[in-house]
PDB file of all heavy atoms in Angstrom:
ATOM      1  N   HIS A 378      55.742 -27.077  48.537  1.00  0.00           N
ATOM      2  CA  HIS A 378      54.810 -28.182  48.309  1.00  0.00           C
ATOM      3  C   HIS A 378      55.422 -29.047  47.221  1.00  0.00           C
ATOM      4  O   HIS A 378      55.541 -28.613  46.070  1.00  0.00           O
ATOM      5  CB  HIS A 378      53.414 -27.734  47.891  1.00  0.00           C
ATOM      6  CG  HIS A 378      52.544 -28.917  47.593  1.00  0.00           C
ATOM      7  ND1 HIS A 378      52.071 -29.755  48.591  1.00  0.00           N
ATOM      8  CD2 HIS A 378      52.129 -29.451  46.438  1.00  0.00           C
ATOM      9  CE1 HIS A 378      51.391 -30.740  48.036  1.00  0.00           C
ATOM     10  NE2 HIS A 378      51.411 -30.579  46.720  1.00  0.00           N
ATOM     11  N   ILE A 379      55.835 -30.235  47.598  1.00  0.00           N
ATOM     12  CA  ILE A 379      56.461 -31.160  46.668  1.00  0.00           C
ATOM     13  C   ILE A 379      55.382 -32.098  46.154  1.00  0.00           C
ATOM     14  O   ILE A 379      54.912 -32.965  46.886  1.00  0.00           O
ATOM     15  CB  ILE A 379      57.610 -31.933  47.353  1.00  0.00           C
ATOM     16  CG1 ILE A 379      58.637 -30.937  47.896  1.00  0.00           C
ATOM     17  CG2 ILE A 379      58.232 -32.921  46.376  1.00  0.00           C
ATOM     18  CD1 ILE A 379      59.709 -31.564  48.775  1.00  0.00           C
ATOM     19  N   HIS A 380      54.977 -31.866  44.910  1.00  0.00           N
ATOM     20  CA  HIS A 380      53.981 -32.751  44.298  1.00  0.00           C
ATOM     21  C   HIS A 380      54.623 -34.120  44.085  1.00  0.00           C
ATOM     22  O   HIS A 380      54.100 -35.135  44.539  1.00  0.00           O
ATOM     23  CB  HIS A 380      53.468 -32.167  42.990  1.00  0.00           C
ATOM     24  CG  HIS A 380      52.568 -33.088  42.242  1.00  0.00           C
ATOM     25  ND1 HIS A 380      51.316 -33.413  42.697  1.00  0.00           N
ATOM     26  CD2 HIS A 380      52.751 -33.797  41.111  1.00  0.00           C
ATOM     27  CE1 HIS A 380      50.772 -34.284  41.868  1.00  0.00           C
ATOM     28  NE2 HIS A 380      51.627 -34.529  40.894  1.00  0.00           N
ATOM     29  N   ALA A 381      55.752 -34.150  43.396  1.00  0.00           N
ATOM     30  CA  ALA A 381      56.504 -35.384  43.176  1.00  0.00           C
ATOM     31  C   ALA A 381      57.921 -34.999  42.780  1.00  0.00           C
ATOM     32  O   ALA A 381      58.126 -34.313  41.775  1.00  0.00           O
ATOM     33  CB  ALA A 381      55.856 -36.241  42.099  1.00  0.00           C
ATOM     34  N   PHE A 382      58.900 -35.431  43.584  1.00  0.00           N
ATOM     35  CA  PHE A 382      60.300 -35.090  43.352  1.00  0.00           C
ATOM     36  C   PHE A 382      61.136 -36.121  44.086  1.00  0.00           C
ATOM     37  O   PHE A 382      61.115 -36.178  45.325  1.00  0.00           O
ATOM     38  CB  PHE A 382      60.586 -33.681  43.882  1.00  0.00           C
ATOM     39  CG  PHE A 382      61.891 -33.105  43.441  1.00  0.00           C
ATOM     40  CD1 PHE A 382      61.994 -32.423  42.237  1.00  0.00           C
ATOM     41  CD2 PHE A 382      63.024 -33.227  44.225  1.00  0.00           C
ATOM     42  CE1 PHE A 382      63.197 -31.873  41.832  1.00  0.00           C
ATOM     43  CE2 PHE A 382      64.222 -32.683  43.830  1.00  0.00           C
ATOM     44  CZ  PHE A 382      64.315 -31.994  42.628  1.00  0.00           C
ATOM     45  N   GLY A 383      61.827 -36.977  43.332  1.00  0.00           N
ATOM     46  CA  GLY A 383      62.593 -38.044  43.967  1.00  0.00           C
ATOM     47  C   GLY A 383      61.675 -38.958  44.748  1.00  0.00           C
ATOM     48  O   GLY A 383      60.610 -39.348  44.279  1.00  0.00           O
ATOM     49  N   LYS A 384      62.086 -39.267  45.962  1.00  0.00           N
ATOM     50  CA  LYS A 384      61.285 -40.162  46.804  1.00  0.00           C
ATOM     51  C   LYS A 384      60.111 -39.456  47.475  1.00  0.00           C
ATOM     52  O   LYS A 384      59.266 -40.107  48.093  1.00  0.00           O
ATOM     53  CB  LYS A 384      62.180 -40.822  47.850  1.00  0.00           C
ATOM     54  CG  LYS A 384      62.670 -39.871  48.927  1.00  0.00           C
ATOM     55  CD  LYS A 384      63.598 -40.511  49.928  1.00  0.00           C
ATOM     56  CE  LYS A 384      62.854 -41.455  50.803  1.00  0.00           C
ATOM     57  NZ  LYS A 384      63.690 -42.199  51.730  1.00  0.00           N
ATOM     58  N   LEU A 385      60.063 -38.117  47.384  1.00  0.00           N
ATOM     59  CA  LEU A 385      59.027 -37.358  48.079  1.00  0.00           C
ATOM     60  C   LEU A 385      57.832 -37.094  47.168  1.00  0.00           C
ATOM     61  O   LEU A 385      57.992 -36.745  46.003  1.00  0.00           O
ATOM     62  CB  LEU A 385      59.593 -36.030  48.569  1.00  0.00           C
ATOM     63  CG  LEU A 385      60.813 -36.128  49.498  1.00  0.00           C
ATOM     64  CD1 LEU A 385      61.343 -34.745  49.812  1.00  0.00           C
ATOM     65  CD2 LEU A 385      60.462 -36.886  50.769  1.00  0.00           C
TER      66      LEU A 385
END
Side-chain angles (χ1 to χ4, degrees):
H378 176 72
I379 302 171
H380 174 69
F382 193 87
K384 71 182 289 175
L385 303 175

